Amino acid sequence: MLSAAAVMAPAAATQKSSLEVLLETIKKRDEQPKDAPPALPARPTCRGRLPTTRRPSLPAGFKLENGMTTVAAVETAPVDRKPDVEKDIAGLETKEEKPVKGCIFGTKRKFHNAEALEESPYVDKFHERKGMTGCKDPPSVSSATAKLNGKPARTYVMDYVLQKKLRVWCSSPNAKWELGQIQSISGDDAEILLASGEVLTMSPERLLPANPDVLDGVDDLIQMSYLNEPSVLYNLQMRYSRDLIYTKAGPVLIAINPLKEVPLYGKASIMQYKQKIKDDPHVYAVADLAFNEMLRDGINQSIIISGESGAGKTETAKIAMQYLAALGGASGMESEVLQTNVILEALGNAKTSRNHNSSRFGKLIEIHFSETGKMCGAKIQTCKLSQSRVVQRAQGERSYHIFYQLCSGAPLLLKKKLFLKSANDYNYLKQSNCLRIDGVDDSKKFTVLVDALDTIQISKDDQMKLFSMLAAVLWLGNISFSVVDTENHVEVISNEGLATAAKLLGCTANQLVTAMSTRKIRAGNDSIVKKLTLTQAIDARDALAKSIYAHLFDWIVEQINHSLGTGRQCTWRSISILDIYGFECFNKNGFEQFCINYANERLQQHFNRHLFKLQQEEYLEEGIDWASVEFVDNTDCLSLFEKKPLGLLSLLDEESTFPKATDLSFANKLKHQLSGNSCFKGEQEGAFKICHYAGEVTYNTAGFLEKNRDPLHSESIQLLASCKFELPKHFASVMVADSQNKSNLSWHSVVDTQKQSVVTKFKVQLFKLMQQLESTTPHFIRCIQPNGKQRPRLFEHDIVLHQLKCCGVLEVVRISRTGYPTRMTHQQFAERYGFLLLRSIASQDPLSVSIAVLQQLNIPPEMYQVGYTKLFFRTGKVAALENARKQMLHGTLCIQKHFRALHSRQTYQGVKKGAITLQTFIRGERTRIHFDNLVKRWRAAVLIQKYTRRRLAATMFNDQLKHIILLQSVMRGCLARRKYKCLQNEKESKASRNKLQDHIRKNNISEPRMCHETNGHYPHQPVVTELEGRISKAEAALRDKEDENVLLKQQLEQYERKWSEYEAKMKSMEEAWKRQLSSLQLSLVAAKKSLTSDEVAARATRTDFTPAHAQYDSEDTLSTGTRTPEVIESRHHNHHPEAKVSAGNSDRRVNAVNHLAKEFEDRRQVFEDDAGFLVAVRSGQVGSHMNPDEELRKLKDRFATWKKDYKSRLKETKVNLQKVSTHDEKSRKRWWGKKSSK
């Protein structure tokens, strides 16, 4: 339920609802003959003449009526209204002499037949349109109380509501609108049941119809059946409570500031609007529409964001830029464009009493796109920065964000270079007692700012220049003065502020003192230095600080534009986003609010021009049957500002030129010159009121003249020019250039002349901005502040309704419901939709083609009108045409797609078949060549391998042969030498014995003597000497024997070790032989067993044969006992040859096995004897010259060879035995088969 504040008396008449219009149209259509062809929609007689460009092409006999079409209108009879109902929704009193404050639906604000202003951004277009239009009188406004079937429209609607007892809005005694249900009607009163359960009785004049509940919370106000103030407020409040902050009002988007984070943004939402998945009202939808129209029509677009201060215009502009950056991304420029918001907000936004991030300047961001829709550059155009905020502001407000961010977030090194302190140490910042904003971290904001400057590609040197100038402005505020005489003259106090500001500016302290405390006055050819008073010195200091900051702001904007203009050579079209300060009305309003509200008046005029004036004028020019819609026109207010020579701006500039003029004299002059203007009202104590489109605002003229002059004396400019740093010099040159535009004097004298005033500069900037907007197709977003307390989820109806009235949103909805917002020329329509015709028509002119298309698509005639040069459509009908066009294009593309696919497939199959055939031959040829090469290489490899292997084998054999021959020669030589030595020793010993025997025989020497002589005993030697020699020989022999014994012991130990090793080897070999012999024995036993089993089987077979033979031979019973087994066996073999063969086979098997067994026993005995002999030789029991190790190896080799041969023969024997047994079995089977057959 809506418990809204009271509004004025209910609106007078309302127009027909869409349901009523539709019923009348159907009724008229049913009255026509069914077989009549669809007629061409008739052009209505118009109050305007036909354009000259269309006259020659009109058919003969075509005439226009000379008279003007009149609109029947009567005034509503006066209705008695209670005094308590005559109130606004905010409870404010409404006065009859204030038409702006009145209810929009009951107020008549007619078009004024005034001439165009002398200076206007639309003056050229005005004269052009005036020349095209032939209306003698201005377009009249149809009466709001037009009759319907003899009754006022409102009475007709209320009768229907009362009869059906529907929901209504009633004006309660406490001046609030409340929703209720009609219970009964008694006379002239109706009983209303409110949602709270209370029952009210009131006159129907105090009721307004309410929309059905199915329309509650609709996203477009056009869809509402009843467009009245409480219904609109109720709809907006319901959507706001659901965090649906966007609502459409025809072509205008209403955006209510949520004052909190809402889940309506991000990459997912951007993709949904980009892919047309969602079409709910949103800033994304407006930006998407502007982007698509730019690509489709090739016309520059603009998004104009307006509203009061604190309504969320800056955030809305950033959201629109984010979406455009996503659409035109992949160029690398989008991130730079988005980062400009961070820089401009830091230097141009501040905290005010209504808004924590209020824009104190206007900006138009022109984003450039290429023909493919890629972002390729941007340009920023600014409009009057509020300079006074740098040096003074109201309590609870802050200066620009950049100062607090620099003091809080600058690194220690930067603070040291700039001599920075905390914000509380600077007079310019602490004077308003507001240094922080709740929920905002200035330190983090500074880090984000530096990152943005890096992204924009502003160099570190330029960043240092920026921060240096900001610090200089802060230190200028700390310069103080002291009064030195009775005339209030001052001198500058030498303190930290003076020295630091001089260092940062690049000048000396004396130069800065001179500029702050003195002024040169020219008297003829002489110059007189005059000391300044305290007020003048403070003004000079503040003027220098404001001028430095203003030029610094312009300089950083130039740097940004230079960086963003790198890709502008690819520019095709652009989308401009306007974010300007909103309408302001405080308890005390000064020069700053005066300029801001003037800019909003001009912006509102642009809004009215495009949505009301131009649209309705075009209807009249094209001959469309149209009843004009009234709206609040602010032409009078703009005339009050801009008219010459008696406009506010002209009078302010004129008064500013007089040196002795004061703010009070300016106020009196305004009262005298403008007292007859309905939008102006003089007040006491130098104040005046202006009736703006958003309401009355009272301005105090204090400071108007000084701020408009914006004085900066020659001493200050000379100071900046004499600085050693680059940036102050640049500021001075800009100031001189601005002054030289006004005068041709030298720059020393220029600064003393009257330069261009602030309002004149502002007016020029504003006109330039509006001219740029006029060359674009506008898209409007109206931002609404939901409450004055900056609290989320709080919806104050009086504040919201006031903004809706001021913006003219309700009139936009009305004109959109009854008008034709979409229009095309006949040629454009025919070119775009002419291909939808299913058959050709005789006439091919654009109008005939357009009408044929509309009739073919069954567009009702009441949904469009045909003008002289254009077609006009109601809301939503172009969407239906676009849908039909899209379907046709889609079908055409499908047909083309399938045909091209078939053609491509056929071409592809042919090419593929030819390619496969070609590949087959090529691959076959390549394979054959490759195979031939492989064969050749294989043969060459085999040949090379053959010769290589033969060569290697021959080399190896020769090497082995050489080694063997060498070894054999060495061994044989050694053996021969040994044997030769033995033979020689034997021969020598034998010869010596023979000599000795011959000597004995010849000399008859006895044997004892001979032995004595042989032992060395000679008679002639002395005995002692002989004994000594023998002793020494014995001792030497003893020593030799001892050494020999030692060696023998060592050899004995070695032999013992070798003997133990040989014994172990012999034992292991014996065990291995035994195991092998045992395995051979087992194999032999198995063979014997198999042989025995075969013999048993053979005997059993023979036994089976025997009874038959015995029975056969038993006829001679006497001979039975005399037969021996051999005889029986022989007879058995004789009678049965198979048995005889079997017996022979068995004998052979027995012999083979016995032979193997005997061989095994013999070989085993031989090997055991040889092994025993070698053991005996090794142990020394048997003497022999053979080498036991060599013989043992040979024995082992012989055993291995025999074992291998024996195993093979044993296997062959087993195989033969199996074959013989198989043959015997087959023989038995054959025999048994023969016997059984007998």
Side-chain angles (χ1 to χ4, degrees), residues 36 143 175 194 197 286 329 387 613 734 773 856 869 900 927 1022 1049 1145 1177:
S143 174
L194 303 181
V286 176
Q387 303 177 20
K613 289 185 178 179
V734 172
L773 290 178
Q856 176 180 303
T869 62
R900 290 170 180 167
T927 304
K1049 285 181 180 179
N1145 293 334
V1177 171

Side-chain angles (χ1 to χ4, degrees), residues 11 42 53 93 105 296 386 388 522 577 613 703 712 782 826 848 1061 1077 1079 1173-1174:
T53 55
E93 295 183 359
F105 300 104
R296 184 189 67 191
S386 176
S388 61
R522 291 183 177 274
I577 300 177
K613 289 185 178 179
L712 189 66
R782 287 291 191 180
H826 301 160
S848 301
E1061 292 175 358
L1077 291 174
S1079 65
F1173 176 77
L1174 291 176

Side-chain angles (χ1 to χ4, degrees), residues 54-91:
R54 295 287 297 172
R55 288 176 189 168
S57 60
L58 288 177
F62 186 85
K63 296 180 179 180
L64 287 175
E65 297 180 5
N66 297 326
M68 299 294 292
T69 305
T70 58
V71 180
V74 296
E75 296 292 336
T76 306
V79 181
D80 295 335
R81 295 184 176 88
K82 296 181 180 180
D84 56 348
V85 184
E86 303 288 337
K87 295 181 180 180
D88 267 342
I89 193 166

Side-chain angles (χ1 to χ4, degrees), residues 116-179:
L117 299 175
E118 294 181 6
E119 288 185 326
S120 171
Y122 317 122
V123 64
D124 296 335
K125 295 181 179 293
F126 178 84
H127 290 300
E128 178 185 352
R129 189 173 297 277
K130 185 176 179 181
M132 292 176 60
T133 307
C135 298
K136 298 179 180 179
D137 298 326
S140 61
V141 181
S142 62
S143 174
T145 56
K147 291 186 177 181
L148 180 64
N149 296 332
K151 289 185 177 182
R154 180 182 176 280
T155 305
Y156 180 84
V157 174
M158 284 307 303
D159 290 345
Y160 177 79
V161 172
L162 294 173
Q163 181 182 0
K164 298 296 183 180
K165 296 181 179 181
L166 303 178
R167 297 196 307 173
V168 293
W169 292 102
C170 56
S171 178
S172 60
N174 58 356
K176 296 181 181 295
W177 286 104
E178 295 188 9
L179 184 64

Side-chain angles (χ1 to χ4, degrees), residues 117 119-122 596-609 634 638-639 642 693 763 766-767 769-770:
L117 299 175
E119 288 185 326
S120 171
Y122 317 122
I596 289 174
N597 293 341
Y598 164 57
N600 279 272
E601 284 289 348
R602 174 53 65 188
L603 196 63
Q604 180 66 21
Q605 176 70 10
H606 185 75
F607 178 82
N608 294 341
R609 174 180 171 81
N634 65 338
L638 274 178
S639 177
E642 299 174 351
Y693 75 94
K763 182 179 177 182
L766 187 61
F767 274 34
L769 186 145
M770 300 310 299

Side-chain angles (χ1 to χ4, degrees), residues 769-1010:
L769 186 145
M770 300 310 299
Q771 287 173 356
Q772 185 170 349
L773 290 178
E774 187 66 18
S775 63
T776 64
T777 300
H779 303 268
F780 294 96
I781 300 178
R782 287 291 191 180
C783 296
I784 303 296
Q785 185 180 12
N787 58 77
K789 301 177 181 178
Q790 296 292 313
R791 289 170 51 189
R793 306 190 70 85
L794 178 61
F795 192 89
E796 296 182 357
H797 301 88
D798 52 347
I799 294 179
V800 174
L801 182 60
H802 175 69
Q803 295 175 76
L804 292 177
K805 286 181 178 181
C806 295
C807 297
V809 171
L810 302 180
E811 285 82 358
V812 171
V813 177
R814 292 179 61 196
I815 199 171
S816 298
R817 289 176 60 173
T818 58
Y820 304 89
T822 308
R823 62 213 66 183
M824 292 185 189
T825 64
H826 301 160
Q827 185 68 30
Q828 291 175 346
F829 187 90
E831 290 177 355
R832 188 165 184 84
Y833 304 107
F835 72 96
L836 296 177
L837 287 175
L838 300 179
R839 58 182 181 275
S840 60
I841 58 177
S843 177
Q844 293 295 326
D845 64 287
L847 179 59
S848 301
V849 173
S850 302
I851 297 302
V853 171
L854 293 173
Q855 292 177 351
Q856 176 180 303
L857 296 178
N858 296 324
I859 304 296
E862 64 274 8
M863 301 310 292
Y864 68 92
Q865 286 202 36
V866 181
Y868 295 117
T869 62
K870 295 182 180 179
L871 290 171
F872 295 82
F873 297 92
R874 292 194 184 274
T875 303
K877 286 302 148 188
V878 171
L881 290 170
E882 286 292 324
N883 187 30
R885 180 177 181 271
K886 186 177 180 180
Q887 291 179 356
M888 179 66 76
L889 290 177
H890 181 70
T892 304
L893 291 177
C894 287
I895 295 173
Q896 292 177 351
K897 177 181 70 175
H898 290 293
F899 175 77
R900 290 170 180 167
L902 177 62
H903 179 70
S904 299
R905 279 194 295 270
Q906 292 176 349
T907 305
Y908 171 74
Q909 293 295 338
V911 173
K912 181 181 177 182
K913 186 176 180 181
I916 291 175
T917 304
L918 183 61
Q919 288 175 356
T920 302
F921 286 106
I922 293 175
R923 288 171 181 169
E925 185 65 24
R926 286 183 178 179
T927 304
R928 285 188 290 272
I929 295 173
H930 183 63
F931 178 74
D932 293 340
N933 293 333
L934 287 179
V935 170
K936 291 179 181 179
R937 293 181 62 185
W938 178 78
R939 290 176 179 175
V942 170
L943 185 61
I944 293 171
Q945 289 176 358
K946 181 178 69 173
Y947 284 102
T948 302
R949 289 171 181 170
R950 186 176 69 181
R951 181 65 177 173
L952 292 175
T955 304
M956 188 182 297
F957 175 76
N958 292 332
D959 292 342
Q960 290 179 357
L961 182 61
K962 288 179 181 178
H963 295 158
I964 291 171
I965 292 173
L966 180 60
L967 181 61
Q968 288 178 353
S969 62
V970 172
M971 291 178 65
R972 288 171 180 169
C974 183
L975 293 175
R977 283 190 295 272
R978 186 182 298 175
K979 190 173 182 181
Y980 174 74
K981 193 173 183 180
C982 293
L983 294 175
Q984 191 175 13
N985 289 337
E986 290 180 0
K987 185 177 181 181
E988 289 178 355
S989 62
K990 187 176 179 180
S992 61
R993 281 197 303 269
N994 292 334
K995 280 183 175 183
L996 185 58
Q997 288 178 2
D998 291 340
H999 182 68
I1000 292 172
R1001 282 195 304 266
K1002 287 179 180 180
N1003 297 320
N1004 292 324
I1005 301 173
S1006 64
E1007 290 185 10
R1009 182 183 177 187
M1010 189 67 184

Side-chain angles (χ1 to χ4, degrees), residues 85 128 181 306 359 512 545 652 725 739 1049 1075 1107 1138 1228:
V85 184
E128 178 185 352
Q181 185 80 30
S306 59
S359 297
L512 188 57
L652 178 59
F725 294 144
S739 299
K1049 285 181 180 179
R1075 286 194 300 271
E1138 293 84 358
R1228 288 196 300 270

